[in-house]
Every structure is written in structure tokens, then in C-alpha cells.
Amino acid sequence: MSRRRLRPDELALWEEVARKATPLAPERKPLPGTLTDTAKPKPKPVTPRAAPVAPFTIGQSANGQPHGHDVLPGIAERIGNAPVKMDKKAHARLKRGKLMPEAKLDLHGMTLDQAHPALNTFIQRSHAAGLRLVLVVTGKGKHRDPGGPIPVRHGVLRHNVPQWLKMMPLAPLVLQISEAHLKHGGGGAYYVYLRRQR
């Protein structure tokens, strides 16, 4: 069945109705091919062009001063640079290995949980006995860096013992910590010079 075309009088009547009618949804586009499809297409919005970027070089606004890395010095350097609190002549003899330790504690092979209480007991007993110079052996530690993103300290006991000696309850008993002479263990041992009993 073919569609019938509108007669001229029907078309005129339809256009008259369409002119007077108020659209329910003005934003709705009329269907293509209808008589009211006389709206002009909306112009495309013009997007403003971005201003061209001026030539630059990376870092041109920097202040020119490189940021240094705040790297903690090695344990030997930190202990070596610590101020001397004991008698200077005795300290010089100590550094040359001329003073003999009066007692020795070997922490080598212990875990941190075993070593910390053993160190506390040893230092407190040595101080109570009136000893002045004791030797604490930590071992140099094995180099076991698994290659992960966080570096692993070389010799865990070697790094922890000086910290423990500066903490309570041992801090008031310890006058000086120094790396031992080679004949007493070198970098794997510490001389601990104790304060006099009061």
C-alpha cells in the first residue's frame, strides 16, 4: 500500500497548525522529513585555541643548588668522631691497643633478642664490680643483601650495640665507646669505658 500525498489544502492547514502550536520539548529535534523540519542546524561551538608554549629548558627555574643526600655516616665514622669524654692520654693508649680489657662479652652469633639482655646484664655487673674497660664482641656481620629495594644493614649487632649502650639503663654507666684495636677484634668489637662508681 503506497502512502498518499497531502493535498495542497491539507498541507496549508497543517502548516497553519504547526505555526500556532507551542512545542512540548523545544530542545527535541523534529523527525527528519516532517513539515516542521525547518530549523537551522546549530553551529558547532568554537573551542579557543591554546596559547603556544614558549620555549623552555628543564630546570631553568631551579635555584641552581643541588640537594645533597642526607646519608648517615658509617658506624665506625660516627663512633670515631664522637667527642672524647675519658682521659685523653688513656684514650690515645686505648686506640693503640695498649690498654687491656678487664672483661669480655662475646655476642657473636646471638639474635637481637638474646644479645640485648646479655649486654645489659654484662655492663651492669661490670660496673657494679668496679671495672673500667670492657670489650664487647659483635662480629663484623655477614654481607646478606637480598637485592630488594630497601638496603639491609651490614652487621646488625655491630650497629645496634652502640645504640643500646647510649640508651637507658646503660647510658649513665658508659663514659666512652670506641672501636677496638685489631688485636682485640677491630671493627667487630667495641671497647666500652665505664664511669667510676659513685
Side-chain angles (χ1 to χ4, degrees), residues 54-172:
F56 68 95
T57 55
I58 294 175
Q60 71 185 20
S61 300
N63 63 7
Q65 304 210 352
H67 296 288
H69 296 289
D70 186 15
V71 179
L72 190 67
I75 190 73
E77 191 178 341
R78 278 183 281 155
I79 289 177
N81 292 337
V84 178
K85 297 176 186 174
M86 60 187 283
D87 179 66
K88 303 253 192 256
K89 286 183 182 177
H91 186 260
R93 292 184 64 215
L94 180 72
K95 295 292 278 180
R96 291 195 309 269
K98 301 292 183 186
L99 294 180
M100 286 300 296
E102 300 168 274
K104 174 182 170 184
L105 172 66
D106 193 349
L107 300 174
H108 190 256
M110 290 187 187
T111 65
L112 291 173
D113 291 338
Q114 296 167 331
H116 196 180
L119 178 70
N120 285 347
T121 304
F122 173 72
I123 295 296
Q124 288 170 338
R125 283 187 184 162
S126 298
H127 184 263
L131 305 183
R132 295 301 307 277
L133 180 63
V134 295
L135 182 70
V136 178
V137 178
T138 60
K140 292 183 182 178
K142 294 181 181 176
H143 189 67
R144 294 187 197 140
D145 191 355
I150 300 172
V152 177
R153 283 200 183 275
H154 183 70
V156 179
L157 282 177
R158 188 168 167 257
H159 282 85
N160 283 341
V161 163
Q163 293 174 7
W164 293 339
L165 290 168
K166 292 176 185 174
M167 291 169 27
M168 291 300 288
L170 303 182

